Amino acid sequence: MCYPERRRFVLAFTNSYSDRAERPVPGFPHPGSCGWKVDAVTARTSTDSARDIPEATVARLPVYLRALSTLSEQSISTCSSEELATAAGVNSAKLRKDLSYLGSYGTRGVGYDVEYLSYQIAREIGVTQDWPVVIVGIGNLGHALANYSGFRSRGFRVVALLDADPVRHEERVAGVDVRPFDELESIALEHGVAIGVIATPAIAAQDVADRMVKSGITSILNFAPTVLSVPDGVDVRKVDLSIELQILAYHVQRKAAAAADKEAFA
């Protein structure tokens, strides 16, 4: 399977790569620690093949990248699969299988080079480049998302904050002016918005999603407690905090019941 033409980016790195575990893939620059930065879009390539990676593996790659970033911050230059698996909270066999989809097997007796493996994963999931993001719904959650510093450090640049409430338009959050929701189409076109974040009440979320799709946005992160209906080709990731809390409540209840049974039979 091959992707359509993919942009080729020139990447600037803060540190040089020490050639220990693997050599860089031909045609790509050497990685640095975690200081990836897009310098310019120079050309398009038509021969960039895509790996067929399972969705479950794709979901774990950001977890591995976060664990590698922590190791790098601790000045750890190489790690074994067991060490990385422990840091990521998975078993080592699953981690090795996941990394094999990237063509990364490490070096026997040495392990994985932390910097280069970080680069491989970051490139695979697309965070070695800058992704313009728009957030719609600037209530309490929208404010929190806008102020989240992790977006920029992980390759996501918030280019606009939008809200339908005129009162919000007088606000400035994290250095970005809140603009009318009706400007979504023009902003998406101007900045080439790749990802839209919905932080509105549930009742408004579907309309917002429809407008995003109409504006050419094909990736949506939905924080509204509702299921969105979108056309084929549009990816939606749903984050429902209340559901996560209910799942935790279930486990707390089970632990309490088990403890009560244990005490009753003691």
Side-chain angles (χ1 to χ4, degrees), residues 56-57 60-61 64 93-102:
T57 296
R60 287 189 291 269
L61 291 180
Y64 300 152
K94 180 178 292 185
L95 179 137
R96 287 192 294 270
K97 177 65 174 178
D98 288 343
L99 296 184
S100 71
Y101 289 108
L102 279 63

Side-chain angles (χ1 to χ4, degrees), residues 70-199:
T70 300
L71 294 175
S72 180
E73 290 167 1
Q74 297 170 354
S75 299
I76 297 173
S77 58
T78 60
C79 66
S80 66
S81 59
E82 289 77 12
E83 290 168 333
L84 181 54
T86 298
V90 301
N91 67 65
S92 58
K94 180 178 292 185
L95 179 137
R96 287 192 294 270
K97 177 65 174 178
D98 288 343
L99 296 184
S100 71
Y101 289 108
L102 279 63
S104 182
Y105 299 92
T107 300
R108 185 178 298 275
V110 177
Y112 297 99
D113 182 284
V114 170
E115 291 185 4
Y116 187 51
L117 183 55
S118 296
Y119 164 72
Q120 282 187 295
I121 295 175
R123 188 189 69 193
E124 192 66 42
I125 63 179
V127 295
T128 55
Q129 55 184 280
D130 221 13
W131 293 109
V133 175
V134 61
I135 299 175
V136 178
I138 313 304
N140 292 334
L141 178 57
H143 271 78
L145 294 172
N147 280 291
Y148 176 51
S149 60
F151 280 142
R152 177 164 291 279
S153 65
R154 288 167 174 79
F156 303 97
R157 175 171 48 93
V158 177
V159 297
L161 305 174
L162 305 178
D163 201 286
D165 185 354
V167 176
R168 298 285 186 190
H169 304 161
E170 301 175 3
E171 297 181 21
R172 185 174 177 83
V173 183
V176 180
D177 291 327
V178 179
R179 298 167 63 176
F181 176 60
D182 287 341
E183 296 183 15
L184 173 62
E185 286 84 355
S186 61
I187 290 171
L189 180 62
E190 176 186 355
H191 295 281
V193 174
I195 299 171
V197 178
I198 299 177

Side-chain angles (χ1 to χ4, degrees), residues 13-20 30-33 113 115:
F13 297 95
T14 58
N15 295 314
S16 62
Y17 167 64
S18 55
D19 194 334
R20 285 184 294 268
H30 289 241
S33 57
D113 182 284
E115 291 185 4

Side-chain angles (χ1 to χ4, degrees), residues 249-260:
Y250 165 77
H251 290 293
V252 171
Q253 180 175 267
R254 286 197 52 161
K255 291 173 186 175

Side-chain angles (χ1 to χ4, degrees), residues 237-249:
R237 297 290 295 182
K238 188 174 186 300
V239 180
D240 193 322
L241 301 178
S242 63
I243 287 179
E244 299 303 323
L245 287 171
Q246 289 167 14
I247 292 171
L248 288 174

